[in-house]
Amino acid sequence: MLYEFRYLAPRTAGELVRILDERKNDGKILAGGTDLIPNIRNGLMKPRFVIDVKKTPEASTLAYSDADGLVIGTAITINDILRSATAQDKYPVLCVCAHELASHQIRNRATVTGNVVNASPCSDMAPALLCLDAKALLRSKDGQRSMPFKEFFTDVKKTVLKPGEYLERIEVPAESRGARGSYLKLKRIAGHDLGIVGVLMVRRGDDIRFAVSSAAPTPVLVDTVTSKDGPEEAVRKVLGAVSPISDVRGTKEYREHMIGVYVRRLLSEVK
Amino acid sequence: MKIKLTVNGLSYERECAEHRTLLRFIREDLGLTGTKEGCGMGECGACTVILNGRAVNSCMVLAVEADGAVIHTIEGEANGPALSDIQQAFENNHAVQCGFCTPGMVMSVKELLAQNPKPDATQIKEAVEGNFCRCTGYTQIVEAVMDLTGRPEEKGELKHV
Ligand SMILES: Cc1cc2nc3c(=O)[nH]c(=O)nc-3n(C[C@H](O)[C@H](O)[C@H](O)COP(=O)(O)OP(=O)(O)OC[C@H]3O[C@@H](n4cnc5c(N)ncnc54)[C@H](O)[C@@H]3O)c2cc1C
Ligand code: FES
Ligand code: FES
C-alpha cells in the first residue's frame, strides 16, 4: 500500500522548475514510475510530493535533426524507442539495449530518462548512451547545463543532478548515426531479469567502444580498445576498467569470466 | 482529485486519492476485481491492463496519471456468457488452471494481436515475458495464441518446455 502523498503535474517547463525548487527536500520526480512506485511501496523513498514530468509539451519529444541529433524527452518510453523508425534506422544500438530492458509491460512505461537518472549499475540504456557520446541536458530554476553521460554517473544510484534540477532531455549526436553494435546481457533466467553482467560493443568505422553494466558502481565506458588490439588485449583493457563485486546474483570471479567471454564473442560478432 | 476515464467502453468520473494506484482504483473504486494483484511491484504481470492501447502493470501507475485515459480490463472481454476469441482459445488449449495470471495474460496477448496479427512463438513469449504463470506452464498459453492466429506452417508442434 502507498501512504498519502500529493501528485503534481506541471504543464510547462517553467512551472516544473518552480515546483522542483520549492520541493527540493520533500519532492520526487515521477516519470514511468517503474522504479519510484516500488521504492515508495517498499519504504525506501518517502516523498510528500510526487512531481510528474510527462505532461509538459517538450516531454513527448522524440525527434531527429542534423544539428541536435536524436532528442529524447522525459516522457519517451523504452518501447517508444523500439517502435521509432528513426531510432531503428539511425541508432540501432539504442534499440539493441532497449530490447534487453525488463518486460514488455515495463518497457511500455519505463522512460529512457528515468532509467539513467535512476543510475543503477545495471541500467541497460546507459551503455548505449555512453558508447554513442550522448549528452544530458539538465535544467533548474537557475538555468540549463549540458553534460556528457561519461560524466553523468557518480556512484551507485548517484548522478550529477542537484536538488531542484531535472534531466530535461537526452541528445544523441548526429555523428553517432549508423554506429552498429551488439549487447550481451547475462541473466539468471531467459525471461525478464536485471543483468548479472552486460557488455555492449559498438563499432563506427575503425573506432571500437565497449560499455559494461553491473560490473562497477556505475555503468562504465571503455574507449581504450583499438582495432589493432587482439582479443586478449581487449579483454585486459575492459577488465582493467571495471570492479565487479560478489552479490546475490553472481560472484566477482563469475562476472569477470563472463565479461571476458562476452568481449571475445563480440569482437568476432560485431563487424 | 477528480478523474475521468473510460474503462471497457464505459466512462467513469470519480474522486480519487492522489496516492492510489490504478490497480487499486480499478479493483476497489470501480469494483472490477478481475484484474489481480500478485507482487504489487512490476514482477508478475497479474495486474496488466491496457492503458491507451498499451499493456502496462497497473500496480505501478497512479490512477491520477490515467486521468482522461482509455482502459481495457478482462471484464471487457466476454460478452455475457460468450467468451472472447482469446478467452475461448485459452479454454480450448487448457491454458488456464487456477486462473490468477489469466486476466493479465489475456491483456498482454490482446495488445500483441492488435499490433501483430500473426506472431511467431518467440514474439508470443516475448509479449507474455512479464506475466508469470505458476500453474499450467507457458506452452499451452503459446499454443492458445497460435491456435487463434494460425500457426506458421513450418513450426509444427511446439516443443513442450
Ligand atoms: C520488475 C522490474 C524489472 C526491471 N528490469 C530492468 C532491466 O532489466 N534493466 C534496467 O535497466 N532497469 C530495469 N528495471 C528498472 C526500471 O524499470 C528502469 O530503470 C526504468 O527505465 C526507470 O524509468 P521510469 O521512467 O519508470 O523511472 P521512474 O521510476 O519514474 O524514476 C526513476 C528515478 O529517476 C527520477 N527521475 C525520473 N525521471 C527524471 C528526470 N527526467 N529528471 C530527474 N529525475 C528523474 C525519479 O525521481 C526516480 O528517482 C526494472 C524494474 C522492475 C520493477
Ligand atoms: S501486481 Fe503488478 S506486476 Fe505483480
Ligand atoms: S493459471 Fe494459475 S498462475 Fe497461471
Side-chain angles (χ1 to χ4, degrees):
Chain A
M1 244 333 236
L2 305 180
Y3 63 88
E4 237 176 280
F5 53 72
R6 292 293 316 276
Y7 168 83
L8 303 173
R11 299 281 161 173
T12 65
E15 199 188 335
L16 173 58
V17 289
R18 202 167 54 246
I19 292 174
L20 289 176
D21 186 59
E22 282 164 19
R23 298 293 156 208
K24 268 184 189 156
N25 301 318
D26 55 3
K28 264 281 171 195
I29 288 176
L30 170 76
T34 64
D35 279 309
L36 184 69
I37 304 285
N39 279 336
I40 291 178
R41 197 185 154 107
N42 290 334
L44 297 173
M45 290 180 181
K46 285 205 164 61
R48 285 182 54 226
F49 292 83
V50 164
I51 306 153
D52 194 338
V53 284
K54 299 187 298 294
K55 309 283 180 176
T56 67
E58 307 80 44
S60 307
T61 307
L62 179 62
Y64 174 83
S65 69
D66 287 336
D68 297 334
L70 187 69
V71 174
I72 304 172
T74 50
I76 298 303
T77 65
I78 306 297
N79 269 347
D80 287 337
I81 297 287
L82 285 169
R83 282 189 289 260
S84 151
T86 309
Q88 292 279 0
D89 175 44
K90 295 190 165 68
Y91 301 97
V93 169
L94 284 179
C95 299
V96 298
C97 286
H99 187 257
E100 293 308 309
L101 190 146
S103 64
H104 180 73
Q105 290 100 310
I106 291 181
R107 289 194 291 270
N108 271 339
R109 289 295 290 175
T111 63
V112 185
T113 51
N115 186 248
V116 287
V117 174
N118 193 48
S120 162
C122 58
S123 156
D124 285 316
M125 293 312 288
L129 296 169
L130 285 167
C131 284
L132 296 175
D133 288 327
K135 280 186 306 190
L137 267 93
L138 316 180
R139 185 195 270 262
S140 70
K141 190 179 88 331
D142 303 323
Q144 262 182 321
R145 57 184 179 133
S146 154
M147 166 109 18
F149 274 99
K150 214 176 151 175
E151 293 158 33
F152 182 77
F153 304 105
T154 54
D155 204 344
V156 180
K157 305 229 160 191
K158 293 214 163 58
T159 71
V160 296
L161 279 169
K162 297 192 187 120
E165 198 174 37
Y166 80 109
L167 172 55
E168 186 182 27
R169 63 188 213 217
I170 294 171
E171 289 183 3
V172 193
E175 294 74 54
S176 300
R177 251 176 341 183
R180 314 233 130 242
S182 177
Y183 183 49
L184 298 175
K185 175 177 169 184
L186 182 67
K187 299 182 288 185
R188 295 168 296 185
I189 52 166
H192 73 99
D193 196 11
L194 297 174
I196 298 170
V197 79
V199 183
L200 170 70
M201 177 179 158
V202 172
R203 200 190 274 279
R204 211 166 59 210
D206 265 354
D207 185 49
I208 292 177
R209 286 170 174 212
F210 285 93
V212 190
S213 55
S214 313
T218 66
V220 175
L221 172 68
V222 187
D223 53 7
T224 50
V225 178
T226 71
S227 52
K228 296 194 185 67
D229 291 334
E232 294 319 309
E233 182 60 9
V235 171
R236 200 187 58 75
K237 286 182 176 172
V238 174
L239 284 177
V242 299
S243 50
I245 54 166
S246 296
D247 67 10
V248 286
R249 287 207 293 278
T251 61
K252 172 180 185 296
E253 291 75 17
Y254 182 38
R255 288 191 158 101
E256 285 173 348
H257 175 74
M258 288 310 294
I259 291 171
V261 170
Y262 282 170
V263 169
R264 286 183 213 104
R265 196 178 293 169
L266 286 164
L267 279 167
S268 64
E269 233 176 62
V270 184
K271 291 295 178 198
Chain B
M1 186 174 142
K2 184 160 254 157
I3 59 170
K4 218 171 156 173
L5 23 80
T6 307
V7 183
N8 304 325
L10 297 176
S11 61
Y12 295 87
E13 199 170 329
R14 288 281 195 285
E15 198 53 51
C16 175
E18 293 170 26
H19 65 284
R20 203 153 181 75
T21 61
L22 181 60
L23 174 62
R24 295 263 165 174
F25 177 79
I26 288 172
R27 286 180 54 83
E28 294 171 12
D29 295 356
L30 303 187
L32 299 171
T33 54
T35 306
K36 304 303 179 204
E37 175 160 25
C39 63
M41 19 199 199
E43 299 281 351
C44 76
C47 64
T48 304
V49 302
I50 299 184
L51 170 66
N52 294 330
R54 302 291 174 204
V56 303
N57 306 100
S58 62
C59 68
M60 296 193 297
V61 178
L62 298 178
V64 289
E65 283 183 85
D67 186 20
V70 176
I71 292 170
H72 288 277
T73 69
I74 192 67
E75 283 86 353
E77 284 298 290
N79 187 357
L83 297 181
S84 73
D85 291 350
I86 300 175
Q87 287 174 313
Q88 191 62 58
F90 270 56
E91 188 187 298
N92 295 347
N93 286 276
H94 192 70
V96 180
Q97 191 166 316
C98 81
F100 196 82
C101 70
T102 312
M105 206 61 94
V106 169
M107 288 299 108
S108 289
V109 170
K110 193 180 170 81
E111 188 210 334
L112 170 70
L113 298 187
Q115 311 293 322
N116 180 357
K118 199 162 176 159
D120 63 27
T122 308
Q123 291 166 328
I124 298 168
K125 285 182 188 169
E126 223 174 84
V128 299
E129 184 188 357
N131 295 86
F132 290 180
C133 175
R134 301 289 85 153
C135 295
T136 68
Y138 299 92
T139 306
Q140 292 93 317
I141 292 167
V142 176
E143 281 176 341
V145 181
M146 289 206 156
D147 186 27
L148 182 61
T149 57
R151 187 166 296 197
E153 292 309 327
E154 74 280 11
K155 291 272 171 7
E157 274 292 295
L158 282 179
K159 271 207 278 313
H160 282 254
V161 283

